Short mmCIF file of all heavy atoms in Angstrom, two decimals:
data_model
loop_
_atom_site.label_atom_id
_atom_site.label_comp_id
_atom_site.label_asym_id
_atom_site.label_seq_id
_atom_site.Cartn_x
_atom_site.Cartn_y
_atom_site.Cartn_z
N TRP A 18 0.87 -1.19 0.03
CA TRP A 18 -0.02 0.00 -0.05
C TRP A 18 0.94 1.22 0.03
O TRP A 18 1.23 1.76 1.00
CB TRP A 18 -0.86 -0.07 1.22
CG TRP A 18 -2.16 0.80 1.28
CD1 TRP A 18 -2.28 1.97 1.91
CD2 TRP A 18 -3.39 0.48 0.64
NE1 TRP A 18 -3.59 2.45 1.78
CE2 TRP A 18 -4.29 1.53 1.00
CE3 TRP A 18 -3.83 -0.56 -0.16
CZ2 TRP A 18 -5.56 1.55 0.58
CZ3 TRP A 18 -5.15 -0.53 -0.57
CH2 TRP A 18 -6.04 0.53 -0.22
N ASP A 19 1.38 1.66 -1.17
CA ASP A 19 2.30 2.73 -1.32
C ASP A 19 1.62 4.06 -1.27
O ASP A 19 1.23 4.64 -2.26
CB ASP A 19 3.10 2.49 -2.62
CG ASP A 19 4.13 3.49 -2.80
OD1 ASP A 19 4.42 4.32 -1.93
OD2 ASP A 19 4.82 3.42 -3.94
N ASN A 20 1.47 4.60 -0.04
CA ASN A 20 0.74 5.79 0.16
C ASN A 20 1.66 7.07 0.02
O ASN A 20 1.82 7.84 0.99
CB ASN A 20 0.01 5.79 1.51
CG ASN A 20 -1.22 6.61 1.56
OD1 ASN A 20 -1.57 7.32 0.60
ND2 ASN A 20 -1.97 6.43 2.63
N ALA A 21 2.26 7.15 -1.18
CA ALA A 21 3.26 8.17 -1.40
C ALA A 21 2.69 9.63 -1.35
O ALA A 21 3.48 10.58 -1.00
CB ALA A 21 3.97 7.93 -2.69
N TYR A 22 1.47 9.80 -1.68
CA TYR A 22 0.88 11.16 -1.86
C TYR A 22 -0.24 11.45 -0.88
O TYR A 22 -1.18 12.09 -1.18
CB TYR A 22 0.46 11.32 -3.32
CG TYR A 22 1.52 10.95 -4.29
CD1 TYR A 22 1.28 9.81 -5.16
CD2 TYR A 22 2.66 11.59 -4.43
CE1 TYR A 22 2.30 9.40 -6.01
CE2 TYR A 22 3.62 11.21 -5.31
CZ TYR A 22 3.45 10.12 -6.09
OH TYR A 22 4.45 9.66 -6.95
N ILE A 23 0.03 10.96 0.34
CA ILE A 23 -1.05 10.98 1.32
C ILE A 23 -1.51 12.40 1.70
O ILE A 23 -2.69 12.60 1.95
CB ILE A 23 -0.53 10.26 2.59
CG1 ILE A 23 -1.66 10.20 3.69
CG2 ILE A 23 0.71 10.89 3.22
CD1 ILE A 23 -1.25 9.27 4.86
N ILE A 24 -0.62 13.45 1.62
CA ILE A 24 -1.06 14.73 1.96
C ILE A 24 -0.69 15.75 0.83
O ILE A 24 -0.58 16.96 0.98
CB ILE A 24 -0.44 15.27 3.27
CG1 ILE A 24 1.04 15.11 3.30
CG2 ILE A 24 -1.16 14.60 4.44
CD1 ILE A 24 1.73 15.62 4.59
N HIS A 25 -0.67 15.22 -0.43
CA HIS A 25 -0.16 16.04 -1.54
C HIS A 25 -1.43 16.54 -2.31
O HIS A 25 -1.53 16.37 -3.52
CB HIS A 25 0.77 15.18 -2.44
CG HIS A 25 2.01 14.80 -1.76
ND1 HIS A 25 2.03 14.00 -0.64
CD2 HIS A 25 3.30 15.06 -2.05
CE1 HIS A 25 3.28 13.77 -0.28
NE2 HIS A 25 4.07 14.44 -1.09
N ASP A 26 -2.22 17.35 -1.67
CA ASP A 26 -3.47 17.88 -2.25
C ASP A 26 -3.15 19.16 -2.89
O ASP A 26 -2.28 19.96 -2.57
CB ASP A 26 -4.52 18.11 -1.15
CG ASP A 26 -4.83 16.83 -0.32
OD1 ASP A 26 -5.01 15.81 -0.95
OD2 ASP A 26 -4.71 16.97 0.91
N PHE A 27 -3.99 19.57 -3.93
CA PHE A 27 -3.89 20.82 -4.63
C PHE A 27 -4.85 21.90 -4.08
O PHE A 27 -4.85 22.97 -4.53
CB PHE A 27 -4.14 20.63 -6.14
CG PHE A 27 -3.04 19.87 -6.83
CD1 PHE A 27 -3.33 19.25 -8.05
CD2 PHE A 27 -1.84 19.71 -6.28
CE1 PHE A 27 -2.31 18.59 -8.65
CE2 PHE A 27 -0.78 19.01 -6.98
CZ PHE A 27 -1.10 18.43 -8.21
N SER A 28 -5.64 21.50 -3.11
CA SER A 28 -6.62 22.44 -2.53
C SER A 28 -7.05 21.96 -1.17
O SER A 28 -6.65 20.82 -0.69
CB SER A 28 -7.87 22.62 -3.42
OG SER A 28 -8.67 21.55 -3.34
N ASP A 29 -7.84 22.70 -0.49
CA ASP A 29 -8.37 22.29 0.78
C ASP A 29 -9.42 21.18 0.68
O ASP A 29 -9.82 20.54 1.66
CB ASP A 29 -8.98 23.52 1.57
CG ASP A 29 -7.94 24.52 2.04
OD1 ASP A 29 -6.82 24.11 2.28
OD2 ASP A 29 -8.31 25.75 2.15
N ARG A 30 -9.86 20.99 -0.60
CA ARG A 30 -10.86 19.96 -0.88
C ARG A 30 -10.17 18.79 -1.54
O ARG A 30 -10.75 18.27 -2.59
CB ARG A 30 -11.97 20.54 -1.70
CG ARG A 30 -12.71 21.71 -0.96
CD ARG A 30 -13.85 22.27 -1.85
NE ARG A 30 -13.34 22.77 -3.12
CZ ARG A 30 -12.76 23.98 -3.26
NH1 ARG A 30 -12.64 24.71 -2.19
NH2 ARG A 30 -12.29 24.38 -4.39
N GLY A 31 -9.08 18.28 -1.06
CA GLY A 31 -8.41 17.19 -1.63
C GLY A 31 -9.20 15.90 -1.40
O GLY A 31 -10.16 15.84 -0.62
N ASP A 32 -8.72 14.84 -2.09
CA ASP A 32 -9.41 13.54 -1.95
C ASP A 32 -9.24 12.99 -0.61
O ASP A 32 -8.18 13.18 0.02
CB ASP A 32 -8.90 12.58 -2.97
CG ASP A 32 -9.14 12.93 -4.47
OD1 ASP A 32 -9.95 13.91 -4.64
OD2 ASP A 32 -8.59 12.37 -5.34
N ASN A 33 -10.26 12.20 -0.19
CA ASN A 33 -10.19 11.52 1.09
C ASN A 33 -9.94 10.02 0.82
O ASN A 33 -10.64 9.46 0.02
CB ASN A 33 -11.43 11.67 1.94
CG ASN A 33 -11.65 13.12 2.44
OD1 ASN A 33 -10.66 13.68 3.03
ND2 ASN A 33 -12.73 13.63 2.35
N LEU A 34 -9.04 9.43 1.50
CA LEU A 34 -8.72 7.94 1.39
C LEU A 34 -9.12 7.32 2.68
O LEU A 34 -8.62 7.62 3.81
CB LEU A 34 -7.28 7.78 1.09
CG LEU A 34 -6.82 6.31 1.03
CD1 LEU A 34 -7.46 5.59 -0.18
CD2 LEU A 34 -5.28 6.20 0.98
N TYR A 35 -9.99 6.31 2.54
CA TYR A 35 -10.42 5.55 3.74
C TYR A 35 -9.33 4.81 4.34
O TYR A 35 -8.43 4.25 3.60
CB TYR A 35 -11.60 4.66 3.35
CG TYR A 35 -12.33 4.02 4.58
CD1 TYR A 35 -13.30 4.72 5.17
CD2 TYR A 35 -11.90 2.73 5.04
CE1 TYR A 35 -13.96 4.09 6.32
CE2 TYR A 35 -12.57 2.16 6.09
CZ TYR A 35 -13.62 2.86 6.71
OH TYR A 35 -14.23 2.30 7.84
N ASN A 36 -9.15 4.79 5.67
CA ASN A 36 -7.96 4.18 6.36
C ASN A 36 -8.04 2.65 6.11
O ASN A 36 -9.00 1.96 6.58
CB ASN A 36 -8.05 4.50 7.84
CG ASN A 36 -6.84 4.00 8.59
OD1 ASN A 36 -6.22 2.95 8.27
ND2 ASN A 36 -6.46 4.69 9.65
N ILE A 37 -7.03 2.09 5.45
CA ILE A 37 -7.01 0.66 5.07
C ILE A 37 -7.02 -0.22 6.37
O ILE A 37 -7.61 -1.29 6.40
CB ILE A 37 -5.87 0.38 4.16
CG1 ILE A 37 -5.84 -1.08 3.71
CG2 ILE A 37 -4.55 0.72 4.79
CD1 ILE A 37 -7.12 -1.47 2.91
N PHE A 38 -6.36 0.29 7.43
CA PHE A 38 -6.21 -0.59 8.56
C PHE A 38 -7.56 -0.67 9.34
O PHE A 38 -7.86 -1.68 10.00
CB PHE A 38 -5.12 -0.08 9.45
CG PHE A 38 -3.74 -0.40 8.88
CD1 PHE A 38 -2.94 0.60 8.38
CD2 PHE A 38 -3.27 -1.74 8.88
CE1 PHE A 38 -1.65 0.22 7.79
CE2 PHE A 38 -2.02 -2.08 8.34
CZ PHE A 38 -1.26 -1.03 7.80
N ASP A 39 -8.32 0.44 9.30
CA ASP A 39 -9.68 0.38 9.85
C ASP A 39 -10.50 -0.69 9.12
O ASP A 39 -11.32 -1.35 9.73
CB ASP A 39 -10.40 1.73 9.78
CG ASP A 39 -9.75 2.75 10.81
OD1 ASP A 39 -9.04 2.34 11.73
OD2 ASP A 39 -10.07 3.97 10.66
N ALA A 40 -10.33 -0.64 7.78
CA ALA A 40 -11.15 -1.59 6.99
C ALA A 40 -10.68 -3.03 7.23
O ALA A 40 -11.49 -3.93 7.31
CB ALA A 40 -11.05 -1.22 5.53
N LEU A 41 -9.41 -3.25 7.32
CA LEU A 41 -8.88 -4.60 7.53
C LEU A 41 -9.38 -5.17 8.81
O LEU A 41 -9.67 -6.40 8.90
CB LEU A 41 -7.32 -4.60 7.59
CG LEU A 41 -6.65 -4.19 6.20
CD1 LEU A 41 -5.23 -3.94 6.47
CD2 LEU A 41 -6.79 -5.40 5.31
N LYS A 42 -9.54 -4.36 9.87
CA LYS A 42 -10.02 -4.90 11.15
C LYS A 42 -11.50 -5.41 11.05
O LYS A 42 -11.81 -6.35 11.74
CB LYS A 42 -9.91 -3.77 12.20
CG LYS A 42 -8.55 -3.42 12.64
CD LYS A 42 -8.56 -2.21 13.54
CE LYS A 42 -7.12 -1.73 13.86
NZ LYS A 42 -7.04 -0.51 14.69
N LEU A 43 -12.25 -4.81 10.08
CA LEU A 43 -13.61 -5.28 9.88
C LEU A 43 -13.68 -6.65 9.43
O LEU A 43 -14.70 -7.40 9.70
CB LEU A 43 -14.31 -4.29 8.92
CG LEU A 43 -14.46 -2.85 9.33
CD1 LEU A 43 -15.06 -2.08 8.11
CD2 LEU A 43 -15.36 -2.74 10.54
N TYR A 44 -12.61 -7.16 8.72
CA TYR A 44 -12.67 -8.45 8.12
C TYR A 44 -11.55 -9.41 8.68
O TYR A 44 -11.46 -10.47 8.09
CB TYR A 44 -12.53 -8.28 6.57
CG TYR A 44 -13.56 -7.37 6.05
CD1 TYR A 44 -13.22 -6.05 5.70
CD2 TYR A 44 -14.85 -7.72 5.82
CE1 TYR A 44 -14.14 -5.17 5.11
CE2 TYR A 44 -15.83 -6.86 5.27
CZ TYR A 44 -15.43 -5.66 4.97
OH TYR A 44 -16.43 -4.74 4.42
N GLY A 45 -10.94 -9.04 9.73
CA GLY A 45 -9.88 -9.90 10.31
C GLY A 45 -8.68 -10.10 9.41
O GLY A 45 -8.04 -11.12 9.46
N ASN A 46 -8.41 -9.09 8.63
CA ASN A 46 -7.21 -9.25 7.57
C ASN A 46 -6.12 -8.28 7.94
O ASN A 46 -5.44 -7.87 6.99
CB ASN A 46 -7.87 -8.95 6.20
CG ASN A 46 -8.45 -10.17 5.58
OD1 ASN A 46 -8.21 -11.25 5.93
ND2 ASN A 46 -9.28 -9.92 4.57
N GLU A 47 -5.87 -8.01 9.18
CA GLU A 47 -4.85 -7.00 9.56
C GLU A 47 -3.51 -7.29 9.00
O GLU A 47 -2.70 -6.40 8.69
CB GLU A 47 -4.73 -6.84 11.08
CG GLU A 47 -5.89 -6.26 11.71
CD GLU A 47 -6.96 -7.26 12.13
OE1 GLU A 47 -6.95 -8.44 11.63
OE2 GLU A 47 -7.70 -7.00 13.12
N ASP A 48 -3.18 -8.57 8.71
CA ASP A 48 -1.79 -8.94 8.19
C ASP A 48 -1.64 -8.79 6.73
O ASP A 48 -0.59 -8.97 6.22
CB ASP A 48 -1.53 -10.34 8.61
CG ASP A 48 -1.48 -10.60 10.18
OD1 ASP A 48 -1.21 -9.62 10.89
OD2 ASP A 48 -1.67 -11.78 10.57
N MET A 49 -2.69 -8.47 6.02
CA MET A 49 -2.62 -8.51 4.57
C MET A 49 -1.95 -7.26 3.94
O MET A 49 -1.60 -7.38 2.74
CB MET A 49 -4.08 -8.61 4.00
CG MET A 49 -4.18 -8.98 2.58
SD MET A 49 -5.79 -9.52 2.02
CE MET A 49 -6.70 -7.97 2.19
N VAL A 50 -1.85 -6.18 4.60
CA VAL A 50 -1.36 -4.89 4.01
C VAL A 50 -0.07 -4.43 4.69
O VAL A 50 -0.06 -4.46 5.98
CB VAL A 50 -2.41 -3.81 4.07
CG1 VAL A 50 -1.87 -2.51 3.57
CG2 VAL A 50 -3.59 -4.24 3.14
N ILE A 51 0.89 -4.03 3.96
CA ILE A 51 2.05 -3.24 4.52
C ILE A 51 1.99 -1.85 3.84
O ILE A 51 2.01 -1.71 2.66
CB ILE A 51 3.37 -3.93 4.16
CG1 ILE A 51 3.42 -5.34 4.43
CG2 ILE A 51 4.52 -3.23 4.84
CD1 ILE A 51 3.34 -5.76 5.86
N GLU A 52 1.85 -0.84 4.65
CA GLU A 52 1.70 0.53 4.12
C GLU A 52 3.04 1.24 4.25
O GLU A 52 3.74 1.15 5.20
CB GLU A 52 0.62 1.29 4.95
CG GLU A 52 0.35 2.74 4.45
CD GLU A 52 -0.82 3.38 5.10
OE1 GLU A 52 -1.24 2.93 6.23
OE2 GLU A 52 -1.28 4.33 4.52
N PHE A 53 3.31 1.99 3.15
CA PHE A 53 4.61 2.73 3.09
C PHE A 53 4.33 4.22 2.76
O PHE A 53 3.30 4.56 2.07
CB PHE A 53 5.48 2.24 1.97
CG PHE A 53 5.93 0.77 2.19
CD1 PHE A 53 5.13 -0.31 1.87
CD2 PHE A 53 7.18 0.54 2.85
CE1 PHE A 53 5.61 -1.57 2.12
CE2 PHE A 53 7.61 -0.74 3.07
CZ PHE A 53 6.83 -1.78 2.67
N THR A 54 5.14 5.09 3.31
CA THR A 54 5.04 6.53 2.98
C THR A 54 6.40 7.12 3.27
O THR A 54 7.28 6.49 3.84
CB THR A 54 3.96 7.25 3.71
OG1 THR A 54 3.64 8.49 3.05
CG2 THR A 54 4.30 7.48 5.16
N SER A 55 6.56 8.41 2.89
CA SER A 55 7.91 9.06 3.13
C SER A 55 7.66 10.59 3.03
O SER A 55 6.55 11.07 2.58
CB SER A 55 8.93 8.57 2.16
OG SER A 55 8.71 9.22 0.90
N THR A 56 8.75 11.26 3.39
CA THR A 56 8.68 12.78 3.19
C THR A 56 9.43 13.18 1.85
O THR A 56 9.81 14.36 1.72
CB THR A 56 9.40 13.45 4.36
OG1 THR A 56 10.74 13.18 4.32
CG2 THR A 56 8.78 13.07 5.66
N SER A 57 9.69 12.20 1.03
CA SER A 57 10.53 12.45 -0.22
C SER A 57 10.04 13.66 -1.00
O SER A 57 10.86 14.34 -1.60
CB SER A 57 10.53 11.20 -1.09
OG SER A 57 11.35 10.22 -0.44
N LYS A 58 8.74 13.88 -1.10
CA LYS A 58 8.22 15.07 -1.85
C LYS A 58 7.61 16.05 -0.87
O LYS A 58 6.78 16.86 -1.27
CB LYS A 58 7.18 14.54 -2.86
CG LYS A 58 7.92 13.76 -3.91
CD LYS A 58 6.91 13.30 -5.06
CE LYS A 58 7.58 12.68 -6.21
NZ LYS A 58 8.26 11.36 -5.85
N ILE A 59 8.06 15.97 0.36
CA ILE A 59 7.66 16.92 1.40
C ILE A 59 8.93 17.78 1.85
O ILE A 59 8.85 18.98 1.84
CB ILE A 59 7.03 16.31 2.61
CG1 ILE A 59 5.75 15.56 2.20
CG2 ILE A 59 6.71 17.35 3.73
CD1 ILE A 59 5.16 14.63 3.33
N SER A 60 10.00 17.02 2.16
CA SER A 60 11.20 17.70 2.51
C SER A 60 12.21 17.57 1.30
O SER A 60 12.04 18.21 0.31
CB SER A 60 11.79 17.10 3.80
OG SER A 60 12.01 15.74 3.69
N PHE A 61 13.21 16.73 1.50
CA PHE A 61 14.20 16.50 0.44
C PHE A 61 14.13 15.11 -0.10
O PHE A 61 14.31 14.17 0.75
CB PHE A 61 15.65 16.81 0.98
CG PHE A 61 15.85 18.25 1.47
CD1 PHE A 61 16.46 18.41 2.69
CD2 PHE A 61 15.34 19.27 0.79
CE1 PHE A 61 16.73 19.75 3.17
CE2 PHE A 61 15.57 20.59 1.25
CZ PHE A 61 16.22 20.81 2.48
#
């Protein structure tokens, strides 16, 4: 789950992404996803 652009919105009305881990808990699938992110396009 490569969440590279998690806060890279062009306005205050950016897209909302439902929290995958909240969803996984609903179905007992917590182990199925590894989520990644970084500051690569936030800092340097």
Side-chain angles (χ1 to χ4, degrees):
W18 199 256
D19 184 2
N20 210 348
Y22 309 113
I23 184 170
I24 51 175
H25 297 64
D26 306 309
F27 290 161
S28 73
D29 293 331
R30 298 180 300 280
D32 295 350
N33 291 317
L34 176 66
Y35 192 83
N36 187 330
I37 184 62
F38 288 107
D39 287 347
L41 291 167
K42 290 175 185 175
L43 297 174
Y44 305 102
N46 274 340
E47 290 94 334
D48 296 337
M49 194 167 66
V50 170
I51 314 292
E52 183 172 18
F53 296 85
T54 196
S55 77
T56 69
S57 287
K58 293 180 174 67
I59 299 173
S60 59
F61 300 135

